[in-house]
Protein backbone atom coordinates (compact mmCIF):
# COMPACT_ATOMS: atom_id res chain seq x y z
CA UNK A 1 0.00 0.00 0.00
CA UNK A 2 1.32 3.53 -0.95
CA UNK A 3 0.70 6.45 1.53
CA UNK A 4 0.08 9.88 -0.11
CA UNK A 5 0.99 12.85 2.03
CA UNK A 6 -0.81 16.07 1.12
CA UNK A 7 1.59 19.01 1.32
CA UNK A 8 0.51 22.60 2.10
CA UNK A 9 1.42 25.38 -0.33
CA UNK A 10 2.63 27.46 2.63
CA UNK A 11 5.53 25.06 3.07
CA UNK A 12 6.68 25.53 -0.51
CA UNK A 13 9.82 27.77 -0.89
CA UNK A 14 8.11 29.42 -3.84
CA UNK A 15 5.42 30.78 -1.42
CA UNK A 16 8.10 32.31 0.80
CA UNK A 17 9.70 34.03 -2.21
CA UNK A 18 6.30 35.33 -3.34
CA UNK A 19 5.62 36.84 0.10
CA UNK A 20 8.99 38.61 0.23
CA UNK A 21 8.38 40.16 -3.22
CA UNK A 22 4.89 41.29 -2.33
CA UNK A 23 6.02 42.81 1.00
CA UNK A 24 8.63 44.88 -0.89
CA UNK A 25 5.87 46.10 -3.31
CA UNK A 26 7.32 44.07 -6.20
CA UNK A 27 3.92 43.11 -7.40
CA UNK A 28 4.91 41.71 -10.71
CA UNK A 29 7.47 39.25 -9.43
CA UNK A 30 5.37 38.29 -6.44
CA UNK A 31 2.28 37.58 -8.57
CA UNK A 32 4.41 35.47 -10.94
CA UNK A 33 5.53 33.32 -8.04
CA UNK A 34 1.96 32.94 -6.86
CA UNK A 35 0.78 31.93 -10.37
CA UNK A 36 3.46 29.31 -10.54
CA UNK A 37 2.57 28.12 -7.06
CA UNK A 38 -1.10 27.95 -8.10
CA UNK A 39 -0.13 25.70 -10.99
CA UNK A 40 1.47 23.35 -8.49
CA UNK A 41 -1.58 23.35 -6.26
CA UNK A 42 -4.49 23.93 -8.64
CA UNK A 43 -7.14 22.47 -6.31
CA UNK A 44 -6.28 24.60 -3.23
CA UNK A 45 -9.19 27.04 -2.88
CA UNK A 46 -7.44 29.08 -0.22
CA UNK A 47 -4.45 29.62 -2.51
CA UNK A 48 -6.81 30.52 -5.36
CA UNK A 49 -8.45 33.22 -3.21
CA UNK A 50 -5.08 34.48 -2.07
CA UNK A 51 -3.93 34.95 -5.68
CA UNK A 52 -7.14 36.84 -6.49
CA UNK A 53 -6.71 39.11 -3.44
CA UNK A 54 -3.12 40.04 -4.28
CA UNK A 55 -4.00 40.70 -7.93
CA UNK A 56 -6.68 43.10 -6.72
CA UNK A 57 -4.24 44.83 -4.36
CA UNK A 58 -1.69 45.12 -7.18
CA UNK A 59 -4.26 46.73 -9.45
CA UNK A 60 -5.26 49.26 -6.69
CA UNK A 61 -1.62 50.10 -6.05
CA UNK A 62 -0.93 50.67 -9.73
CA UNK A 63 -3.98 52.96 -9.94
CA UNK A 64 -2.72 55.03 -6.99
CA UNK A 65 0.70 55.38 -8.60
CA UNK A 66 -0.87 56.62 -11.83
CA UNK A 67 -2.93 59.17 -9.91
CA UNK A 68 0.16 60.45 -8.11
CA UNK A 69 2.01 60.90 -11.43
CA UNK A 70 -0.89 62.93 -12.82
CA UNK A 71 -1.04 65.10 -9.66
CA UNK A 72 2.73 65.69 -9.79
CA UNK A 73 2.50 66.89 -13.38
CA UNK A 74 -0.29 69.32 -12.41
CA UNK A 75 1.75 70.74 -9.51
CA UNK A 76 4.78 71.26 -11.69
CA UNK A 77 2.70 73.13 -14.23
CA UNK A 78 1.06 75.30 -11.53
CA UNK A 79 4.36 76.29 -9.88
CA UNK A 80 5.91 76.99 -13.19
CA UNK A 81 3.19 79.53 -14.00
CA UNK A 82 3.57 81.13 -10.57
CA UNK A 83 7.35 81.38 -10.92
CA UNK A 84 6.92 83.07 -14.29
CA UNK A 85 4.54 85.62 -12.86
CA UNK A 86 6.94 86.28 -9.98
CA UNK A 87 9.81 86.90 -12.35
CA UNK A 88 7.69 89.36 -14.32
CA UNK A 89 6.69 91.25 -11.14
CA UNK A 90 10.30 91.25 -9.92
CA UNK A 91 11.44 92.70 -13.18
CA UNK A 92 8.88 95.44 -13.02
CA UNK A 93 9.95 96.22 -9.42
CA UNK A 94 13.61 96.44 -10.36
CA UNK A 95 12.78 98.85 -13.10
CA UNK A 96 10.72 100.99 -10.74
CA UNK A 97 13.45 100.93 -8.11
CA UNK A 98 16.04 102.22 -10.51
CA UNK A 99 13.69 104.94 -11.63
CA UNK A 100 13.15 106.26 -8.06
CA UNK A 101 16.57 105.44 -6.60
CA UNK A 102 17.77 109.01 -6.29
CA UNK A 103 14.53 110.19 -4.73
CA UNK A 104 14.52 107.31 -2.25
CA UNK A 105 18.11 107.98 -1.17
CA UNK A 106 17.16 111.46 0.01
CA UNK A 107 14.07 110.21 1.81
CA UNK A 108 16.08 107.46 3.50
CA UNK A 109 18.57 109.96 4.84
CA UNK A 110 15.77 112.14 6.17
CA UNK A 111 14.07 109.08 7.65
CA UNK A 112 17.26 108.03 9.39
CA UNK A 113 17.55 111.43 11.04
CA UNK A 114 13.92 111.30 12.16
CA UNK A 115 14.36 107.74 13.39
CA UNK A 116 17.32 108.65 15.59
CA UNK A 117 15.31 111.46 17.13
CA UNK A 118 12.36 109.13 17.72
CA UNK A 119 14.64 106.53 19.33
CA UNK A 120 16.02 109.14 21.72
CA UNK A 121 12.52 110.38 22.48
CA UNK A 122 11.32 106.81 23.13
CA UNK A 123 14.27 106.14 25.41
CA UNK A 124 13.58 109.26 27.42
CA UNK A 125 9.84 108.47 27.60
CA UNK A 126 10.61 104.93 28.73
CA UNK A 127 12.95 106.13 31.45
CA UNK A 128 10.43 108.78 32.47
CA UNK A 129 7.70 106.12 32.77
CA UNK A 130 10.04 103.90 34.79
CA UNK A 131 10.70 106.77 37.17
CA UNK A 132 6.95 107.39 37.50
CA UNK A 133 6.33 103.69 38.19
CA UNK A 134 8.99 103.70 40.89
CA UNK A 135 7.41 106.75 42.49
CA UNK A 136 4.05 105.02 42.47
CA UNK A 137 5.73 102.10 44.19
CA UNK A 138 7.15 104.51 46.82
CA UNK A 139 10.74 103.84 45.67
CA UNK A 140 11.95 107.42 45.67
CA UNK A 141 15.73 106.72 45.66
CA UNK A 142 15.52 104.45 42.61
CA UNK A 143 13.29 106.97 40.86
CA UNK A 144 15.80 109.81 41.51
CA UNK A 145 18.63 107.75 39.98
CA UNK A 146 16.65 107.40 36.74
CA UNK A 147 15.65 111.09 36.80
CA UNK A 148 19.32 112.03 37.09
CA UNK A 149 20.12 109.96 33.99
CA UNK A 150 17.30 111.63 32.08
CA UNK A 151 18.67 115.05 33.13
CA UNK A 152 22.12 114.14 31.83
CA UNK A 153 20.84 113.10 28.38
CA UNK A 154 17.59 115.05 28.01
CA UNK A 155 17.65 117.97 30.45
CA UNK A 156 14.73 119.69 28.75
CA UNK A 157 12.41 116.68 28.79
CA UNK A 158 8.84 117.87 29.50
CA UNK A 159 7.62 117.30 33.12
CA UNK A 160 11.03 116.21 34.35
CA UNK A 161 11.34 119.03 36.90
CA UNK A 162 7.94 118.26 38.48
CA UNK A 163 8.74 114.56 38.60
CA UNK A 164 12.03 115.29 40.34
CA UNK A 165 10.25 117.43 42.92
CA UNK A 166 7.76 114.64 43.61
CA UNK A 167 10.60 112.16 43.97
CA UNK A 168 12.40 114.39 46.44
CA UNK A 169 9.21 114.84 48.46
CA UNK A 170 8.68 111.09 48.43
CA UNK A 171 12.26 110.55 49.55
CA UNK A 172 11.63 112.83 52.52
CA UNK A 173 8.50 110.81 53.37
CA UNK A 174 10.47 107.57 53.12
CA UNK A 175 13.13 108.88 55.49
CA UNK A 176 10.42 110.06 57.88
CA UNK A 177 8.68 106.66 57.60
CA UNK A 178 11.88 104.84 58.51
CA UNK A 179 12.30 107.11 61.56
CA UNK A 180 8.69 106.50 62.61
CA UNK A 181 9.10 102.75 62.21
CA UNK A 182 12.26 102.84 64.29
CA UNK A 183 10.46 104.75 67.05
CA UNK A 184 7.62 102.22 66.94
CA UNK A 185 9.98 99.25 67.19
CA UNK A 186 11.66 100.85 70.20
CA UNK A 187 8.28 101.34 71.93
CA UNK A 188 8.38 105.13 71.58
CA UNK A 189 4.75 105.24 70.48
CA UNK A 190 4.21 108.98 70.95
CA UNK A 191 7.25 109.92 68.78
CA UNK A 192 6.25 107.29 66.23
CA UNK A 193 2.71 108.66 66.18
CA UNK A 194 3.98 112.21 65.58
CA UNK A 195 6.20 111.07 62.68
CA UNK A 196 3.47 108.98 61.08
CA UNK A 197 1.06 111.88 61.50
CA UNK A 198 3.40 114.20 59.55
CA UNK A 199 3.49 111.67 56.73
CA UNK A 200 -0.28 111.34 56.85
CA UNK A 201 -0.70 115.13 56.59
CA UNK A 202 1.32 115.15 53.35
CA UNK A 203 0.14 111.88 51.82
CA UNK A 204 -2.55 109.80 53.61
CA UNK A 205 -2.12 107.01 51.07
CA UNK A 206 1.60 106.56 51.69
CA UNK A 207 2.33 102.91 52.42
CA UNK A 208 0.46 101.71 55.58
CA UNK A 209 0.63 105.02 57.44
CA UNK A 210 -3.11 105.08 58.22
CA UNK A 211 -3.12 101.57 59.67
CA UNK A 212 0.08 102.28 61.64
CA UNK A 213 -1.53 105.36 63.18
CA UNK A 214 -4.56 103.25 64.15
CA UNK A 215 -2.29 100.58 65.59
CA UNK A 216 -0.37 103.12 67.65
CA UNK A 217 -3.59 104.70 68.86
CA UNK A 218 -4.69 101.23 69.86
CA UNK A 219 -1.45 100.58 71.73
CA UNK A 220 -1.65 103.95 73.45
CA UNK A 221 -5.24 103.06 74.39
CA UNK A 222 -4.12 99.64 75.64
CA UNK A 223 -1.39 101.16 77.75
CA UNK A 224 -3.86 103.66 79.16
CA UNK A 225 -6.29 100.83 79.97
CA UNK A 226 -3.67 98.66 81.61
CA UNK A 227 -2.46 101.59 83.73
CA UNK A 228 -6.02 102.13 84.99
CA UNK A 229 -6.48 98.39 85.51
CA UNK A 230 -3.22 98.03 87.44
CA UNK A 231 -4.04 101.03 89.63
CA UNK A 232 -7.47 99.64 90.47
CA UNK A 233 -5.93 96.19 91.08
CA UNK A 234 -3.35 97.63 93.49
CA UNK A 235 -6.16 99.43 95.35
CA UNK A 236 -8.21 96.20 95.52
CA UNK A 237 -10.95 97.86 93.50
CA UNK A 238 -11.74 94.53 91.88
CA UNK A 239 -14.81 95.60 89.95
CA UNK A 240 -13.02 98.45 88.07
CA UNK A 241 -9.88 96.34 87.61
CA UNK A 242 -11.93 93.49 86.19
CA UNK A 243 -13.78 95.80 83.80
CA UNK A 244 -10.50 97.30 82.51
CA UNK A 245 -8.72 93.96 82.14
CA UNK A 246 -11.72 92.49 80.33
CA UNK A 247 -11.79 95.49 77.95
CA UNK A 248 -8.07 95.07 77.35
CA UNK A 249 -8.45 91.37 76.64
CA UNK A 250 -11.37 92.00 74.28
CA UNK A 251 -9.56 94.74 72.30
CA UNK A 252 -6.27 92.85 71.98
CA UNK A 253 -6.40 89.20 73.11
CA UNK A 254 -2.64 88.73 72.72
CA UNK A 255 -1.55 91.95 74.48
CA UNK A 256 0.63 90.90 77.48
CA UNK A 257 -1.50 87.79 77.47
CA UNK A 258 0.10 85.93 80.40
CA UNK A 259 0.05 88.98 82.67
CA UNK A 260 -3.49 90.04 81.76
CA UNK A 261 -4.93 86.52 82.12
CA UNK A 262 -3.32 86.10 85.54
CA UNK A 263 -4.78 89.43 86.66
CA UNK A 264 -8.19 88.47 85.27
CA UNK A 265 -8.14 85.24 87.28
CA UNK A 266 -7.25 87.17 90.46
CA UNK A 267 -10.07 89.64 89.80
CA UNK A 268 -12.61 86.87 89.17
CA UNK A 269 -11.65 85.10 92.39
CA UNK A 270 -11.77 88.29 94.47
CA UNK A 271 -15.07 89.38 92.90
CA UNK A 272 -16.55 86.00 93.77
CA UNK A 273 -15.36 86.36 97.36
CA UNK A 274 -16.73 89.91 97.55
CA UNK A 275 -20.15 88.84 96.24
CA UNK A 276 -20.32 86.10 98.83
CA UNK A 277 -19.17 88.44 101.60
CA UNK A 278 -21.55 91.27 100.73
CA UNK A 279 -24.59 89.02 100.26
CA UNK A 280 -24.55 86.53 103.11
CA UNK A 281 -28.18 85.53 102.65
CA UNK A 282 -28.55 85.42 98.88
CA UNK A 283 -28.89 82.28 96.84
CA UNK A 284 -28.35 84.45 93.75
CA UNK A 285 -24.98 85.49 95.19
CA UNK A 286 -23.97 81.85 95.24
CA UNK A 287 -24.79 81.55 91.54
CA UNK A 288 -23.05 84.85 90.76
CA UNK A 289 -19.90 83.76 92.58
CA UNK A 290 -19.98 80.49 90.71
CA UNK A 291 -20.15 82.44 87.44
CA UNK A 292 -16.99 84.34 88.38
CA UNK A 293 -15.16 81.12 89.23
CA UNK A 294 -16.33 79.59 85.95
CA UNK A 295 -14.96 82.58 84.02
CA UNK A 296 -11.62 82.09 85.73
CA UNK A 297 -11.67 78.40 84.79
CA UNK A 298 -12.40 79.28 81.16
CA UNK A 299 -9.00 81.03 81.09
CA UNK A 300 -7.15 78.18 82.86
CA UNK A 301 -9.34 75.04 82.94
CA UNK A 302 -8.73 72.72 85.90
CA UNK A 303 -6.29 75.20 87.45
CA UNK A 304 -5.56 73.89 90.94
CA UNK A 305 -5.49 77.33 92.55
CA UNK A 306 -8.83 78.38 91.08
CA UNK A 307 -10.46 75.08 92.03
CA UNK A 308 -9.09 75.34 95.57
CA UNK A 309 -10.26 78.94 95.99
CA UNK A 310 -13.65 78.03 94.59
CA UNK A 311 -14.04 75.02 96.84
CA UNK A 312 -13.07 76.91 99.99
CA UNK A 313 -15.16 80.01 99.27
CA UNK A 314 -18.21 78.13 98.05
CA UNK A 315 -18.10 75.58 100.86
CA UNK A 316 -17.94 78.30 103.52
CA UNK A 317 -20.71 80.29 101.90
CA UNK A 318 -22.90 77.24 101.35
CA UNK A 319 -22.59 76.38 105.02
CA UNK A 320 -23.48 79.94 106.01
CA UNK A 321 -26.33 80.19 103.49
CA UNK A 322 -27.68 76.79 104.48
CA UNK A 323 -28.11 77.84 108.08
CA UNK A 324 -29.44 81.21 107.04
CA UNK A 325 -32.30 79.48 105.22
CA UNK A 326 -32.81 77.05 108.08
CA UNK A 327 -33.03 79.95 110.53
CA UNK A 328 -35.41 81.81 108.21
CA UNK A 329 -37.67 78.77 108.20
CA UNK A 330 -37.46 78.48 111.97
CA UNK A 331 -38.13 82.21 112.43
CA UNK A 332 -41.26 82.01 110.29
CA UNK A 333 -42.57 79.14 112.40
CA UNK A 334 -41.90 81.22 115.52
CA UNK A 335 -43.24 84.52 114.21
CA UNK A 336 -46.35 83.14 112.54
CA UNK A 337 -46.75 80.41 115.11
CA UNK A 338 -49.41 77.94 114.10
CA UNK A 339 -50.23 79.13 110.55
CA UNK A 340 -50.22 76.43 107.92
CA UNK A 341 -49.04 79.06 105.46
CA UNK A 342 -46.01 79.54 107.70
CA UNK A 343 -45.22 75.85 107.41
CA UNK A 344 -45.41 76.08 103.64
CA UNK A 345 -43.02 79.04 103.64
CA UNK A 346 -40.73 77.34 106.12
CA UNK A 347 -40.69 74.19 104.00
CA UNK A 348 -39.60 76.26 101.02
CA UNK A 349 -36.68 77.66 103.02
CA UNK A 350 -35.74 74.22 104.26
CA UNK A 351 -35.85 72.93 100.68
CA UNK A 352 -33.53 75.76 99.64
CA UNK A 353 -31.16 74.87 102.44
CA UNK A 354 -31.32 71.23 101.46
CA UNK A 355 -30.63 72.05 97.80
CA UNK A 356 -27.40 73.74 98.93
CA UNK A 357 -26.38 71.09 101.47
CA UNK A 358 -28.17 67.88 100.48
CA UNK A 359 -26.02 65.76 102.79
CA UNK A 360 -26.69 67.80 105.93
CA UNK A 361 -28.74 65.52 108.18
CA UNK A 362 -29.94 68.28 110.47
CA UNK A 363 -31.27 70.23 107.50
CA UNK A 364 -32.85 67.06 106.16
CA UNK A 365 -34.69 66.56 109.45
CA UNK A 366 -35.89 70.19 109.48
CA UNK A 367 -37.23 69.81 105.96
CA UNK A 368 -38.74 66.41 106.66
CA UNK A 369 -40.47 67.67 109.83
CA UNK A 370 -42.05 70.62 107.96
CA UNK A 371 -43.12 68.24 105.19
CA UNK A 372 -44.39 65.72 107.71
CA UNK A 373 -46.40 68.37 109.58
CA UNK A 374 -48.15 69.57 106.43
CA UNK A 375 -48.84 66.00 105.37
CA UNK A 376 -50.10 65.16 108.84
CA UNK A 377 -52.53 68.08 108.78
CA UNK A 378 -53.92 66.90 105.45
CA UNK A 379 -54.07 63.33 106.75
CA UNK A 380 -55.84 64.41 109.94
CA UNK A 381 -58.48 66.38 108.06
CA UNK A 382 -59.00 63.45 105.67
CA UNK A 383 -59.25 60.99 108.60
CA UNK A 384 -56.32 58.98 107.21
CA UNK A 385 -55.15 58.68 110.78
CA UNK A 386 -52.50 55.99 110.32
CA UNK A 387 -50.54 58.28 107.99
CA UNK A 388 -51.15 61.28 110.23
CA UNK A 389 -49.83 59.41 113.29
CA UNK A 390 -46.78 58.15 111.36
CA UNK A 391 -45.85 61.68 110.28
CA UNK A 392 -46.51 63.17 113.71
CA UNK A 393 -44.58 60.49 115.60
CA UNK A 394 -41.57 61.32 113.40
CA UNK A 395 -41.86 64.97 114.42
CA UNK A 396 -42.57 64.15 118.08
CA UNK A 397 -39.51 61.91 118.36
CA UNK A 398 -37.30 64.67 116.98
CA UNK A 399 -38.89 67.67 118.72
CA UNK A 400 -41.92 67.29 120.96
CA UNK A 401 -42.33 71.08 121.12
CA UNK A 402 -42.41 71.44 117.33
CA UNK A 403 -44.76 74.12 116.01
CA UNK A 404 -45.29 75.48 119.53
CA UNK A 405 -46.66 72.15 120.60
CA UNK A 406 -49.28 71.93 117.87
CA UNK A 407 -47.62 68.81 116.44
CA UNK A 408 -47.99 67.20 119.89
CA UNK A 409 -51.59 68.41 120.10
CA UNK A 410 -52.35 66.96 116.67
CA UNK A 411 -50.65 63.67 117.54
CA UNK A 412 -52.75 63.44 120.71
CA UNK A 413 -55.91 64.27 118.76
CA UNK A 414 -55.05 61.68 116.08
CA UNK A 415 -54.64 58.92 118.66
CA UNK A 416 -57.81 59.94 120.47
CA UNK A 417 -59.82 60.12 117.27
CA UNK A 418 -58.54 56.79 116.01
CA UNK A 419 -59.25 55.29 119.43
CA UNK A 420 -62.83 56.48 119.24
CA UNK A 421 -63.18 55.00 115.76
CA UNK A 422 -61.85 51.67 117.07
CA UNK A 423 -64.22 51.96 120.03
CA UNK A 424 -67.18 52.61 117.74
CA UNK A 425 -66.27 49.49 115.82
CA UNK A 426 -66.05 47.38 118.97
CA UNK A 427 -62.24 47.00 118.75
CA UNK A 428 -61.68 48.00 122.38
CA UNK A 429 -58.16 46.63 122.76
CA UNK A 430 -56.96 48.78 119.82
CA UNK A 431 -58.86 51.75 121.20
CA UNK A 432 -57.25 51.22 124.62
CA UNK A 433 -53.77 51.18 123.08
CA UNK A 434 -54.42 54.48 121.28
CA UNK A 435 -55.90 56.11 124.42
CA UNK A 436 -52.90 55.02 126.46
CA UNK A 437 -50.47 56.48 123.90
CA UNK A 438 -52.52 59.70 123.93
CA UNK A 439 -52.20 59.79 127.73
CA UNK A 440 -48.40 59.44 127.49
CA UNK A 441 -48.30 62.37 125.07
CA UNK A 442 -50.59 64.49 127.30
CA UNK A 443 -48.51 63.65 130.33
CA UNK A 444 -45.39 65.16 128.62
CA UNK A 445 -47.07 68.59 128.67
CA UNK A 446 -47.62 70.21 132.10
CA UNK A 447 -50.19 72.52 130.49
CA UNK A 448 -52.11 69.68 128.87
CA UNK A 449 -54.71 69.27 131.60
CA UNK A 450 -57.67 68.86 129.28
CA UNK A 451 -55.79 66.37 127.10
CA UNK A 452 -54.69 64.33 130.08
CA UNK A 453 -58.19 64.41 131.54
CA UNK A 454 -59.83 63.16 128.35
CA UNK A 455 -57.20 60.47 127.83
CA UNK A 456 -57.58 59.13 131.38
CA UNK A 457 -61.35 59.27 131.12
CA UNK A 458 -61.34 57.31 127.82
CA UNK A 459 -58.84 54.76 129.16
CA UNK A 460 -60.98 54.22 132.28
CA UNK A 461 -64.15 53.97 130.23
CA UNK A 462 -62.59 51.36 127.89
CA UNK A 463 -61.05 49.34 130.72
CA UNK A 464 -64.51 49.11 132.29
CA UNK A 465 -65.94 47.76 129.04
CA UNK A 466 -63.15 45.19 129.01
CA UNK A 467 -64.03 44.25 132.63
CA UNK A 468 -60.97 45.69 134.39
CA UNK A 469 -63.00 47.81 136.84
CA UNK A 470 -60.23 48.31 139.37
CA UNK A 471 -57.92 49.91 136.80
CA UNK A 472 -60.85 51.81 135.37
CA UNK A 473 -61.72 53.28 138.80
CA UNK A 474 -58.12 54.37 139.31
CA UNK A 475 -58.11 56.16 135.96
CA UNK A 476 -61.41 57.89 136.75
CA UNK A 477 -60.03 59.04 140.10
CA UNK A 478 -56.89 60.35 138.39
CA UNK A 479 -59.01 62.26 135.88
CA UNK A 480 -60.95 63.91 138.71
CA UNK A 481 -57.79 64.82 140.59
CA UNK A 482 -55.92 66.24 137.59
CA UNK A 483 -58.75 68.65 136.79
CA UNK A 484 -59.75 69.59 140.37
CA UNK A 485 -63.28 68.41 139.54
CA UNK A 486 -64.06 67.65 143.23
CA UNK A 487 -63.35 71.22 144.29
CA UNK A 488 -65.31 72.65 141.36
CA UNK A 489 -68.26 70.36 142.16
CA UNK A 490 -68.38 71.59 145.76
CA UNK A 491 -69.28 75.02 144.37
CA UNK A 492 -71.28 73.97 141.35
CA UNK A 493 -73.15 70.75 142.17
CA UNK A 494 -73.18 69.02 145.63
CA UNK A 495 -74.73 65.89 144.10
CA UNK A 496 -71.58 65.32 142.11
CA UNK A 497 -69.57 65.53 145.31
CA UNK A 498 -71.80 62.85 146.88
CA UNK A 499 -71.37 60.54 143.88
CA UNK A 500 -67.59 60.93 143.92
CA UNK A 501 -67.47 60.16 147.66
CA UNK A 502 -69.65 57.08 147.15
CA UNK A 503 -67.50 55.86 144.30
CA UNK A 504 -64.39 56.19 146.44
CA UNK A 505 -66.06 54.36 149.35
CA UNK A 506 -67.05 51.41 147.15
CA UNK A 507 -63.57 51.34 145.69
CA UNK A 508 -62.14 51.03 149.19
CA UNK A 509 -64.57 48.16 149.80
CA UNK A 510 -63.23 46.63 146.60
CA UNK A 511 -66.64 46.84 145.01
CA UNK A 512 -64.96 48.02 141.84
CA UNK A 513 -67.86 47.49 139.48
CA UNK A 514 -70.20 49.59 141.64
CA UNK A 515 -67.53 52.23 141.97
CA UNK A 516 -67.15 52.25 138.17
CA UNK A 517 -70.88 52.80 137.68
CA UNK A 518 -70.89 55.71 140.15
CA UNK A 519 -67.91 57.35 138.43
CA UNK A 520 -69.68 57.00 135.07
CA UNK A 521 -72.63 58.92 136.54
CA UNK A 522 -70.24 61.81 137.32
CA UNK A 523 -67.91 61.81 134.33
CA UNK A 524 -67.20 63.44 132.00
CA UNK A 525 -68.79 66.32 133.99
CA UNK A 526 -68.43 68.65 131.00
CA UNK A 527 -70.84 71.23 132.40
CA UNK A 528 -68.70 71.66 135.50
CA UNK A 529 -65.21 71.34 133.97
CA UNK A 530 -65.52 73.21 130.72
CA UNK A 531 -66.39 76.77 129.87
CA UNK A 532 -67.72 77.14 126.32
CA UNK A 533 -66.60 80.19 124.31
CA UNK A 534 -67.74 81.27 120.88
CA UNK A 535 -65.07 81.72 118.20
CA UNK A 536 -65.32 82.89 114.60
CA UNK A 537 -63.09 80.74 112.39
CA UNK A 538 -60.54 82.73 110.39
CA UNK A 539 -58.76 81.93 107.15
CA UNK A 540 -55.94 79.48 107.87
CA UNK A 541 -57.38 78.14 111.14
CA UNK A 542 -57.42 74.40 111.64
CA UNK A 543 -58.74 72.14 114.36
CA UNK A 544 -55.60 71.13 116.28
CA UNK A 545 -54.39 74.71 116.18
CA UNK A 546 -57.56 75.91 117.92
CA UNK A 547 -57.44 73.02 120.35
CA UNK A 548 -53.87 73.88 121.30
CA UNK A 549 -54.64 77.61 121.57
CA UNK A 550 -57.56 77.05 123.97
CA UNK A 551 -56.06 74.13 125.89
CA UNK A 552 -58.67 71.63 124.82
CA UNK A 553 -58.90 68.76 122.33
CA UNK A 554 -60.06 68.43 118.75
CA UNK A 555 -62.63 65.82 119.74
CA UNK A 556 -64.06 68.10 122.42
CA UNK A 557 -64.53 70.87 119.82
CA UNK A 558 -66.11 68.47 117.33
CA UNK A 559 -68.44 67.11 120.02
CA UNK A 560 -69.41 70.58 121.22
CA UNK A 561 -70.40 71.57 117.68
CA UNK A 562 -71.86 68.18 116.72
CA UNK A 563 -69.35 67.98 113.82
CA UNK A 564 -68.19 64.69 112.41
CA UNK A 565 -64.87 65.59 110.78
CA UNK A 566 -61.94 68.00 111.35
CA UNK A 567 -62.50 69.38 107.86
CA UNK A 568 -66.02 70.48 108.83
CA UNK A 569 -64.94 73.88 110.16
CA UNK A 570 -64.94 76.74 107.63
CA UNK A 571 -63.68 80.29 107.55
CA UNK A 572 -66.33 82.68 108.93
CA UNK A 573 -68.08 79.92 110.86
CA UNK A 574 -68.82 80.58 114.57
CA UNK A 575 -68.03 77.50 116.64
CA UNK A 576 -68.14 76.61 120.34
CA UNK A 577 -64.84 75.78 121.99
CA UNK A 578 -64.92 74.10 125.44
CA UNK A 579 -61.92 74.95 127.60
CA UNK A 580 -61.01 73.89 131.14
CA UNK A 581 -62.71 76.02 133.79
CA UNK A 582 -60.16 75.89 136.55
CA UNK A 583 -58.51 78.56 138.62
CA UNK A 584 -55.12 77.05 137.98
CA UNK A 585 -55.90 76.37 134.35
CA UNK A 586 -56.80 78.55 131.39
Amino acid sequence: MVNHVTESYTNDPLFQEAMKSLQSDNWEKGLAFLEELHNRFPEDIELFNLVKEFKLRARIDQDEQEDQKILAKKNIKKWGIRSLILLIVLGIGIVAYWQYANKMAFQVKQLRTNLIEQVHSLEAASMFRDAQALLQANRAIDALEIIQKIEEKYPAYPGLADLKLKAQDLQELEILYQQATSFFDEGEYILALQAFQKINDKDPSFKDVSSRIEEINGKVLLEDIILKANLAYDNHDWEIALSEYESLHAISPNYQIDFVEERLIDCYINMAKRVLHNNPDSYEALNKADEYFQKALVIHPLDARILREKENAMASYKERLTWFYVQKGRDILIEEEDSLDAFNKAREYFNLALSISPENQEVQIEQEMAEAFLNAQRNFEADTLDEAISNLEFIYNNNMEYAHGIARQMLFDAYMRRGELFEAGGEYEYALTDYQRAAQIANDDPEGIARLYWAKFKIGYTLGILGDYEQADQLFADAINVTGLYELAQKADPNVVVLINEAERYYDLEWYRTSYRLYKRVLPASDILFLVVDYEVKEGDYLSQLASRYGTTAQAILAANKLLSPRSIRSGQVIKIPKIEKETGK
Side-chain angles (χ1 to χ4, degrees), residues 253-265:
N254 294 321
Y255 181 77
Q256 298 188 31
I257 183 169
D258 293 336
F259 173 79
V260 172
E261 286 187 346
E262 191 62 30
R263 285 297 176 89
L264 275 172
I265 290 172

Side-chain angles (χ1 to χ4, degrees), residues 141-154:
I141 296 175
D142 295 335
L144 282 170
E145 290 179 0
I146 295 177
I147 291 170
Q148 186 176 358
K149 291 178 181 178
I150 298 173
E151 283 181 326
E152 292 172 356
K153 291 184 178 183
Y154 317 103

